[in-house]
């Protein structure tokens, strides 16, 4: 069942799916029988039975949730929340899951007699008293989950004996006293979540010995003393969040060695001194040192990965260093209430707006000493907010807009510009779900198909404890991918129905999980599995989203009959009350920057001065206008086959019967005769089997035309479109990729002077009658104002970038420096199109970003085009790796075209039995003697979340964080 759900797209027909389903169901039932036999056999260990009874006695079970705790065999008779394993014929309690049961009272010390316990979970109850030191006897304990209660007293030093402990969650209690120095012995611990208590004293320097610690959350306590320099030894640390304590002294300068740190949050900690050098934290995404008494300058160098910087309410001075203006992924820069001076330099703000339509940039510099403002183009965009109130530059109020208006919002309620989340999906057919049955509409596979159905959702309360961003919309898609992959669901089965920022900042959300599209209801086993996945923290950690907590797991109709513990949202102490308030619906008003830019496309009308002298170029024919009109039946509408930047394209038949493609320059693309001649001369010398060849030209009667060989099978784009009747199989796609790569390589290395195509895209790759790929339109970028994107709206020098949105090299976009690597980027996008069948930009989604998200989440199978049929799994991975490495932002990390060709040849050589597959147009069938078994899909390592680089490619795939 699960497997079926995990890979919903891999069955080519419904029938196959059903067959598989039936056989798998058999196995599944068998497995359940084996598993339950295991649980049922043998009586429960009697020491443990009395320990459970003692626990039952001491907790107040006001709702009688533990009413079935009767008799002497908890393992045999299935006591609520008790999970057992049979060891040497006797049942032992391995998990105690009593979350969300409105329990009061205290935890009996006898819990220490459950010696096989691995998970101890009392989350979200109203338990009082202190943590029994006897818990320190549970030598196998892996998860200690006591958060969200009313525990008091001190932390027992005995907990330091828990050598297997992975996670200690005691946050949101009233625990006081010091952090025991014995916690240094928890050397398997990865997660210390002790925030929101009353812990006091200083952080024990010995904690620096915790060599596996990943998350250190001690915020909202009464900790004091100096921050121990020893914590810099925890090289594994990703999140250090210590806000709202009362430390003294400065931030140890050696924290700059914490090279893996993703988030450093020391807000409101009474710290003095200067900001340590953060330049070596190459993955830093979130830096909050606000509300301290820090002095000195802003950081001069900071990681390009940073999205959020909050240094407000300090005593920082000097000007804003250039480095801060050059952070492309920046979303939020809070510097208000410092002593910063100098000029605010808007013009050099290079924000990564192009790559991500939903990104925003908020700059709050209020209450400083900024005296000048140098305007910048991007600041006039609606996605960018700048606040300068309270600076001398605002004295004469000449800046306009809202720049000089006072603003008092906190980081929790940023007034965001009109951003859009994922554009609303559409169902392929109209469907209304019966509201009387609690059904809700589920959209089909979000990235590809609009297949919809009605189903019962499971409602989940979920909270990110320490997210690595402050603005959610740009991350929402990535979050869906992350969570669905962690739950082994498809992306369309996970829906964030509302979210709300809380102090911390923490992000709490209401999530709906939907059954897959073969059913309208989860099975009991599926519900249990999902519940276990959440509460066992099996979902892999994610750097961007940070640790999560499950707030509730709501089993409304029809799920209220199911077994697992925990119901409804009756949470402890009102702490969670009011979490989910407003439903924020971001409607599909996409303020996509590239759309604006395209709309402002500039038209250059070159007045053509026509000379009617005939020109001669060896090897190409010089056609008259009359010949062209004859060939196209006077440019009749029915002969029109396309439209490019240069002009319209017609299918023509020459007098000798040759079919040709005629590109007719439109007004504005007309060249002077000499330039036109030069281009023809250049193009006439270029011959390669993977380049569309020029047959002739026409320069007559104030018209210019180029005559090319005609490509029967149209463009690659048409071919990949959903409407295509004969989508290519994998082998053909690799051939197309290899062919076009060779064509581009020829342009880069053999043409003299080298030709950078500038407009590689699927619609510029044509397929001949054998489906051989030929690159078209090379050299035309010099002839025609292709797609021009005006990059400046601020009255400065207008710069023009040529290319097509979605394929455009971001480096070229920023620097306007054209290199061979710009073509490599665009070619990478074409590879992604071949793999996914999707377009470079669909409904505001950028393909490069979508695939990176899926790749990062280990969910690549969800984006692979199912229409290409079976493929050898070992070929897919290097292909995707290659595509992703071509599409890296950094020019230098992209391979050259010759490396691309070599890699594609290597992939080609890996395809088993391709030689026996006959000619190009033969489609592969499973009976061609090649073993394309379905098993290939399940062995595919993309199914796991740990995908490493290709093996074939040298150099590794960068970790691409969703923005
Ligand atoms: C748990 O073990 C302790 C010491 O081994 C013992 O004194 C206590 O009675 C046990 N508790 C129960 C309920 O058996
Ligand atoms: C933690 O404590 C802070 C300060 O008291 C409070 O604002 C916040 O809501 C608390 N967070 C949780 C999750 O309890
Ligand atoms: C910590 O708090 C306790 C009371 O809860 C107090 O007795 C103790 O002195 C405090 N210790 C420090 C170091 O402040
Ligand atoms: C998801 O499936 C994979 C393999 O199919 C498995 O290894 C993993 O444990 C599953 N995860 C969950 C949370 O079920």
């Amino acid at each position: 069942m699960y497997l079926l759900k995990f890979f919903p797209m891999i069955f080519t027909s419904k029938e196959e799916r059903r067959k598989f389903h039936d056989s798998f169901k058999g196995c599944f039932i068998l497995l359940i029988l084996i598993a339950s036999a295991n649980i049922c056999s043998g009586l429960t260990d009697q020491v443990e039975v009395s320990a459970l009874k003692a626990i039952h006695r001491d907790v107040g079970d006001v709702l009688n949730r533990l009413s079935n705790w009767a008799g002497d065999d908890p393992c045999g008779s299935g006591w609520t929340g008790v999970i057992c394993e049979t060891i040497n014929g006797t049942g032992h309690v391995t998990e105690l899951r009593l979350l969300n049961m409105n329990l009061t009272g205290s935890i009996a010390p006898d819990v220490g007699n459950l010696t096989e316990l691995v998970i101890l979970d009392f989350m979200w109850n109203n338990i009082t008293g202190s943590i029994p030191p006897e818990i320190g006897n549970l030598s196998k304990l892996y998860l200690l989950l006591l958060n969200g209660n009313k525990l008091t007293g001190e932390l027992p030093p005995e907990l330091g004996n828990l050598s297997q402990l992975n996670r200690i969650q005691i946050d949101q209690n009233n625990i006081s006293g010091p952090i025991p120095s014995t916690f240094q012995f928890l050397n398997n611990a990865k997660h210390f979540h002790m925030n929101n208590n009353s812990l006091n004293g200083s952080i024990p320097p010995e904690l620096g010995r915790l060599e596996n610690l990943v998350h250190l959350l001690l915020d909202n306590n009464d900790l004091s003393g100096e921050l121990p320099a020893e914590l810099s030894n925890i090289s594994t640390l990703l999140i250090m969040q210590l806000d709202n304590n009362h430390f003294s002294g400065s931030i140890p300068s050696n924290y700059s060695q914490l090279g893996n740190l993703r988030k450093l949050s020391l807000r409101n900690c009474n710290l003095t001194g200067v900001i340590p050098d953060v330049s070596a934290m190459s993955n830093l995404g979130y830096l909050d040192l606000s509300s301290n008494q820090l002095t000195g300058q802003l950081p001069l160098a900071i990681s390009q990965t940073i999205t959020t910087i909050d240094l407000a309410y300090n005593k920082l001075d000097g000007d804003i260093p250039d480095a801060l203006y050059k952070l492309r992924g920046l979303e939020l820069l809070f510097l208000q209430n410092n002593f910063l001076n100098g000029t605010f330099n808007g013009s050099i703000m290079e924000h990564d707006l192009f790559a991500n339509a939903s990104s925003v940039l908020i700059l709050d510099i209020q209450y400083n000493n900024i005296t000048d403002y140098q305007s910048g183009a991007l600041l006039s965009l609606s996605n960018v907010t700048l606040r300068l109130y309270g600076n001398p530059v605002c004295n004469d109020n000449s800046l306009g807009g809202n720049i000089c208006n006072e603003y008092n919002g906190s980081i929790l309620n940023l007034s965001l510009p009109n951003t859009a989340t994922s554009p609303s999906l559409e169902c392929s057919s109209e469907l209304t779900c019966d509201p009387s049955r609690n059904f809700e509409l589920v959209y089909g596979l979000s990235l590809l198909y609009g297949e919809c159905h009605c189903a019962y959702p499971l409602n989940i309360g979920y909270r990110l404890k320490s997210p690595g961003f402050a603005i959610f919309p740009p991350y929402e898609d990535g979050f869906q991918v992350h969570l669905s992959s962690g739950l082994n669901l498809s992306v369309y089965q996970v829906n964030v129905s509302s979210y709300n920022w809380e102090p911390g900042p923490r992000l709490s959300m209401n999530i709906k999980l939907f059954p897959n599209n073969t059913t309208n209801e989860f099975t009991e086993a599926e519900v249990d599995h999902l519940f276990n996945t959440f509460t066992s923290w099996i979902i892999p950690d994610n750097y961007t989203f940070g640790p999560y907590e499950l707030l509730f797991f709501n089993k409304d109709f029809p799920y209220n009959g199911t077994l697992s513990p925990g119901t409804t949202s009756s949470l402890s102490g009102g702490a969670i009350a009011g979490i989910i308030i407003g439903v924020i619906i971001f409607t599909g008003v996409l303020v996509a920057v590239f759309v604006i830019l395209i709309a402002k496309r500039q038209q250059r009308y070159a007045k053509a001065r026509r000379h009617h002298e005939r020109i001669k170029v060896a090897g190409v024919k010089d056609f008259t206008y009359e010949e062209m009109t004859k060939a196209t039946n006077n440019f009749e509408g029915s002969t029109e086959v396309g439209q490019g930047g240069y002009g319209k394209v017609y299918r023509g038949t020459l007098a000798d019967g040759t079919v040709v493609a005629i590109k007719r320059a439109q007004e504005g693309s007309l060249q002077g005769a000499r330039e036109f001649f030069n281009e023809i001369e250049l193009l006439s010398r270029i011959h390669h089997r993977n380049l569309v060849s020029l047959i002739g030209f026409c320069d007559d009667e104030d018209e210019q035309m180029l005559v090319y060989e005609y490509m029967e099978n149209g463009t690659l784009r048409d071919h990949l479109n959903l409407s295509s009747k004969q989508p290519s199989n994998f082998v053909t796609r690799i051939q197309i990729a290899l062919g076009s790569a060779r064509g581009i390589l020829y342009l880069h290395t053999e043409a003299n002077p080298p030709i950078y195509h500038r407009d590689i895209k699927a619609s510029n790759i044509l397929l001949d009658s054998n489906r051989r790929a030929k690159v078209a339109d090379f050299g035309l970028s010099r002839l025609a104002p292709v797609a021009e994107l005006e990059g400046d709206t601020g009255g400065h020098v207008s710069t023009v970038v040529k290319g097509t949105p979605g394929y455009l090299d971001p480096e070229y976009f920023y620097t306007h420096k054209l290199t061979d690597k710009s073509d490599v980027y665009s070619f990478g996008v074409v590879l992604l199109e071949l793999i996914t069948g999707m377009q470079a930009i669909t409904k505001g989604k950028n393909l490069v970003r979508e695939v990176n998200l899926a790749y990062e989440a280990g969910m690549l199978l969800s984006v692979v085009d199912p229409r290409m049929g079976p493929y050898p799994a070992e070929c897919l991975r290097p292909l995707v790796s290659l595509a992703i490495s071509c599409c890296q932002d950094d020019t230098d990390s992209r391979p050259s075209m010759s490396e691309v060709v070599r890699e594609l040849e290597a992939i080609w050589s890996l395809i088993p039995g391709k030689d026996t597959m006959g000619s190009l147009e033969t489609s592969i069938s499973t009976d061609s003697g090649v073993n394309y078994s379905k098993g290939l899909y399940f062995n595919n390592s993309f199914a796991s979340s740990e995908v490493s680089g290709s093996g074939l490619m040298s150099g590794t795939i960068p970790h691409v964080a969703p923005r």
Side-chain angles (χ1 to χ4, degrees):
M1 289 285 281
Y2 284 111
L3 274 178
L4 177 64
K5 214 146 54 73
F6 306 156
F7 305 104
M9 294 168 56
I10 56 189
F11 297 96
T12 43
S13 74
K14 276 217 160 102
E15 206 176 312
E16 273 176 85
R17 195 188 297 185
R18 221 168 280 131
K19 256 189 241 162
F20 178 78
H21 182 274
D22 288 344
S23 56
F24 196 80
K25 211 188 222 165
C27 300
F28 192 72
I29 291 169
L30 195 67
L31 278 176
I32 287 192
L33 287 178
I34 293 170
S36 46
N38 206 19
I39 290 169
C40 298
S41 77
L43 288 178
T44 314
D45 180 276
Q46 284 309 298
V47 176
E48 295 179 23
V49 177
S50 18
L52 286 176
K53 284 180 174 167
I55 290 169
H56 193 193
R57 178 196 66 218
D58 284 6
V59 295
D61 181 15
V62 279
L63 295 184
N64 250 336
R65 300 294 305 280
L66 307 182
S67 54
N68 67 1
W69 283 34
D72 278 324
D73 189 15
C75 296
S77 57
W79 289 10
T80 298
V82 177
I83 290 149
C84 299
E85 211 173 282
T86 306
I87 303 167
N88 295 333
T90 312
H92 288 276
V93 181
T94 53
E95 300 178 19
L96 195 53
R97 295 176 176 271
L98 300 176
L99 69 162
N100 239 321
M101 293 195 168
N102 283 48
L103 301 177
T104 57
S106 60
I107 303 175
D110 311 88
V111 70
N113 296 8
L114 300 171
T115 49
E116 299 293 331
L117 208 59
V118 177
I119 298 178
L120 178 60
D121 182 350
F122 278 103
M123 300 188 299
W124 313 121
N125 284 292
N126 292 310
I127 293 177
T128 55
S130 55
I131 298 176
E134 287 79 2
I135 288 180
N137 299 339
L138 303 175
S139 60
K140 295 187 177 166
L141 200 64
Y142 185 75
L143 303 177
L144 176 57
L145 311 171
L146 304 176
N147 49 302
N149 281 289
K150 294 178 172 166
L151 293 166
T152 53
E154 302 201 349
L155 284 172
E158 289 82 353
L159 296 186
N161 297 334
L162 298 172
S163 60
Q164 297 304 310
L165 199 66
N166 168 278
R167 180 181 286 265
I168 172 165
Q169 282 186 187
I170 56 158
D171 45 298
Q172 299 184 69
N173 281 289
N174 295 317
I175 298 166
S176 56
I179 300 171
S181 63
T182 55
F183 279 20
Q184 66 179 290
F185 303 116
L186 296 172
N187 49 21
N188 278 311
K190 289 189 162 182
H191 302 270
F192 266 34
H193 298 183
M194 310 195 199
N195 52 282
N196 287 69
N197 279 290
S198 305
L199 299 170
N200 68 6
S202 47
I203 298 178
E206 293 87 349
L207 295 192
R209 301 206 183 128
L210 292 167
E211 53 189 26
N212 289 305
L213 200 63
V214 169
H215 296 159
L216 179 61
L217 309 185
L218 297 175
D219 52 286
N220 296 296
N221 278 293
D222 292 323
L223 296 167
S224 56
E226 298 213 352
L227 289 174
E230 287 81 353
L231 296 187
S232 68
N233 295 331
I234 311 178
S235 60
T236 48
L237 204 60
L238 297 181
I239 298 178
M240 182 190 281
Q241 177 160 321
L242 310 178
D243 322 86
N244 297 322
N245 281 293
H246 318 288
F247 300 116
S248 52
S250 56
I251 306 170
S253 62
N254 65 358
Y255 281 12
S256 58
Q257 297 165 19
L258 289 166
N260 286 314
L261 215 56
R262 303 272 167 161
K263 176 168 181 173
L264 178 60
S265 193
L266 302 172
R267 165 189 292 261
N268 191 25
C269 281
N270 211 21
L271 295 161
T272 56
V274 299
I275 299 175
D277 178 9
V278 293
S279 61
M281 299 176 183
S282 55
N283 293 313
L284 193 64
Y286 192 113
L287 177 67
D288 183 353
L289 305 176
S290 62
S291 302
N292 285 291
Q293 286 130 49
L294 300 174
T295 51
Q297 292 225 316
L298 297 175
L300 292 176
I302 197 160
S303 162
Q304 282 290 331
T305 56
I306 199 137
T307 63
T308 311
I309 301 178
D310 189 351
L311 301 173
Y313 296 93
N314 277 294
K315 296 173 177 171
L316 301 165
D317 56 23
D319 56 7
I320 302 175
D322 277 0
L324 285 194
Y325 292 114
K326 292 191 171 144
L327 299 171
R328 290 184 181 165
L330 200 61
E331 292 167 348
L332 184 137
L333 178 62
F334 273 15
L335 299 173
Q336 66 269 35
N337 296 76
N338 279 291
F339 304 123
L340 302 170
N341 54 36
T343 298
F344 180 83
N345 190 344
S347 68
I348 53 173
M349 179 65 69
E350 288 182 342
H351 186 232
D352 202 357
L353 289 168
F354 192 75
N356 184 353
S358 61
S359 65
V360 290
L361 175 59
I362 298 178
L363 305 153
D364 194 334
I365 329 275
Q366 293 181 99
Y367 300 103
N368 278 286
N369 287 322
I370 303 290
T371 48
D372 282 302
Y373 171 76
Q374 190 180 329
S375 81
L378 291 176
L379 292 180
S380 61
L381 295 172
S382 59
N383 306 39
V384 181
T385 306
L386 171 63
R387 302 189 183 115
L388 283 173
Y389 180 85
N391 285 281
V393 67
C394 273
N395 287 352
D396 63 357
N397 223 347
S398 63
L399 292 182
N402 295 323
I403 294 178
C404 284
N405 294 354
E406 187 173 15
Y407 178 82
N408 278 326
S410 87
I411 196 168
L412 293 179
N413 55 12
L414 295 165
S415 79
L416 289 181
N418 210 354
T419 54
T421 53
S422 22
S424 48
L425 299 160
E426 287 155 21
C427 301
S428 53
S429 60
E430 220 156 282
L431 188 66
T432 317
C433 297
D434 180 355
S436 64
R437 297 183 61 198
N438 259 358
F439 269 161
E440 291 188 28
L441 192 61
V442 193
Y443 293 101
L445 301 173
S446 62
L447 292 173
L448 270 176
Y449 300 113
E451 211 183 295
C452 297
H453 71 292
C454 295
Y456 293 111
L458 261 175
N459 293 300
I460 310 265
Y462 189 90
R463 182 159 62 190
L464 300 178
K465 278 180 165 174
S466 185
F469 50 84
I471 297 168
F472 187 47
Y475 299 91
E476 196 170 335
D477 291 348
F479 176 74
Q480 242 180 302
V481 173
H482 158 68
L483 189 59
S484 54
S485 93
L487 295 170
N488 277 345
L489 298 178
S490 295
V491 178
Y492 75 93
Q493 295 179 262
V494 175
N495 176 8
V496 177
S497 60
S498 64
Y499 67 83
N500 181 43
W501 285 99
E502 297 173 11
R506 301 178 213 278
L507 182 61
S508 91
M509 323 179 197
N510 241 355
I511 293 172
K512 288 184 199 294
L513 302 180
F514 291 98
N516 73 7
N517 55 13
T518 61
T519 168
N520 51 34
E521 193 175 317
F522 284 113
T523 64
E524 232 171 83
E526 286 171 322
V527 172
D528 274 355
H529 179 76
L530 288 169
F531 180 80
N532 269 328
T533 306
F534 280 114
T535 55
S536 307
W537 278 272
I538 298 168
I539 302 172
D541 282 329
N542 176 285
Y543 300 137
T544 304
F545 302 111
Y548 74 88
E549 52 197 333
L550 183 70
L551 299 176
F552 59 83
F553 191 93
N554 215 344
K555 287 189 231 147
D556 296 329
F557 179 80
Y559 301 116
N560 39 5
T562 53
L563 283 171
S564 61
T567 47
T568 67
S569 56
S570 46
L571 301 177
S572 68
I576 323 298
I579 284 166
I580 296 99
I581 309 162
V583 177
I584 305 162
I585 302 164
F586 288 86
T587 46
V589 187
L590 252 188
V591 189
V593 172
F594 52 85
V595 172
I596 297 173
L597 294 176
I598 294 165
K600 297 197 170 158
R601 185 188 301 179
Q602 196 193 38
Q603 274 289 2
R604 279 185 304 176
Y605 288 99
K607 267 269 173 262
R609 277 166 283 120
R610 312 292 302 124
H611 304 279
H612 290 274
E613 59 186 88
R614 308 298 298 234
I615 50 181
K616 293 243 175 313
V617 182
V620 289
K621 284 191 195 136
D622 176 5
F623 294 100
T624 63
Y625 182 68
E626 202 191 334
E627 284 172 297
M628 294 289 93
T629 50
K630 271 193 189 144
T632 57
N633 216 355
N634 207 8
F635 301 105
E636 200 191 51
S638 64
T639 62
E640 194 181 318
V641 289
Q643 161 97 50
Y646 182 74
K648 286 186 174 157
V649 187
Y650 299 84
R651 180 184 197 273
T653 312
L654 299 178
D656 67 357
T658 317
V659 180
V660 293
I662 299 172
K663 284 185 202 260
R664 185 190 194 189
Q666 63 196 8
E667 198 185 346
S669 295
L670 289 179
Q671 308 287 305
R674 185 111 307 258
E675 289 99 328
F676 189 60
F677 173 78
N678 286 343
E679 294 300 335
I680 304 284
E681 221 279 310
L682 178 75
L683 296 181
S684 71
R685 283 189 272 123
I686 291 169
H687 297 287
H688 188 270
R689 62 204 292 265
N690 295 114
L691 296 174
V692 177
S693 47
L694 184 70
I695 293 176
F697 65 95
C698 166
D699 185 31
D700 193 15
E701 305 268 340
D702 271 4
E703 293 260 6
Q704 289 176 338
M705 286 172 241
L706 297 168
V707 181
Y708 287 98
E709 60 175 320
Y710 186 76
M711 303 289 281
E712 216 118 313
N713 269 314
T715 74
L716 174 59
R717 186 62 260 163
D718 296 339
H719 210 62
L720 292 175
N721 279 342
L722 286 183
S723 53
S724 167
K725 298 211 174 58
Q726 251 198 309
S728 300
N729 59 42
F730 185 74
V731 172
T732 307
R733 290 184 197 213
I734 295 280
Q735 269 173 328
I736 291 172
L738 187 53
S740 22
R742 284 176 174 152
I744 300 166
L745 176 63
Y746 178 88
L747 292 175
H748 286 185
T749 56
E750 304 292 318
N752 184 16
I755 294 180
Y756 301 147
H757 191 294
R758 299 195 198 196
D759 203 17
I760 303 278
K761 54 183 173 184
S763 52
N764 270 341
I765 291 173
L766 306 181
L767 304 177
D768 70 6
S769 53
N770 289 328
R771 293 202 189 182
R772 175 194 291 154
K774 296 196 179 201
V775 178
D777 270 8
F778 50 89
L780 277 194
S781 53
R782 297 138 67 102
L783 283 173
V786 190
E788 288 181 1
L789 304 168
E790 196 183 343
D792 190 322
T793 54
H796 293 268
V797 188
S798 153
T799 48
V800 172
V801 172
K802 290 179 174 178
T804 304
Y807 294 91
L808 196 55
D809 169 13
E811 188 75 17
Y812 173 42
F813 180 72
Y814 289 116
T815 62
H816 303 173
K817 259 186 253 150
L818 183 76
T819 67
D820 57 330
K821 297 293 183 72
S822 304
D823 283 351
V824 171
Y825 184 93
S826 313
F827 182 71
V829 179
V830 172
L831 284 180
L832 293 178
E833 287 178 272
L834 281 165
I835 294 163
T836 62
M838 288 181 263
Q839 301 188 27
I841 290 183
T842 331
K843 296 181 180 169
K845 282 177 192 260
N846 180 299
L847 179 57
V848 174
R849 180 166 163 267
E850 294 302 321
V851 174
N852 274 321
L853 289 174
Y855 191 94
E856 189 189 24
M859 283 286 291
L860 260 179
L861 281 182
S862 73
V863 296
V864 169
D865 188 352
R867 296 170 305 156
M868 68 179 160
Y871 55 84
E874 66 272 25
C875 293
L876 181 69
R877 182 160 58 152
L879 185 62
V880 176
S881 299
L882 176 65
I884 289 181
S885 68
C886 288
C887 292
Q888 290 183 56
D889 280 356
D890 178 27
T891 316
D892 294 336
S893 334
R894 292 177 212 151
S896 68
M897 220 50 226
S898 59
E899 288 167 316
V900 171
V901 168
R902 232 179 298 136
E903 177 70 6
L904 284 170
E905 285 167 348
I907 293 168
W908 176 250
S909 70
L910 285 180
I911 301 177
K914 58 183 174 297
D915 301 333
T916 65
M917 251 168 281
S919 69
L920 305 179
E921 51 282 355
T922 317
S923 64
I924 307 171
S925 60
T926 38
D927 54 16
S928 66
V930 185
N931 184 18
Y932 283 99
S933 76
K934 289 282 179 274
L936 283 170
Y937 296 102
F938 299 105
N939 294 333
N940 195 309
S941 54
F942 288 128
S944 95
S945 61
E946 285 165 285
V947 182
S948 54
S950 109
L952 272 177
M953 282 297 291
S954 54
T956 53
I957 300 307
H959 171 86
V960 186
R963 301 184 190 231

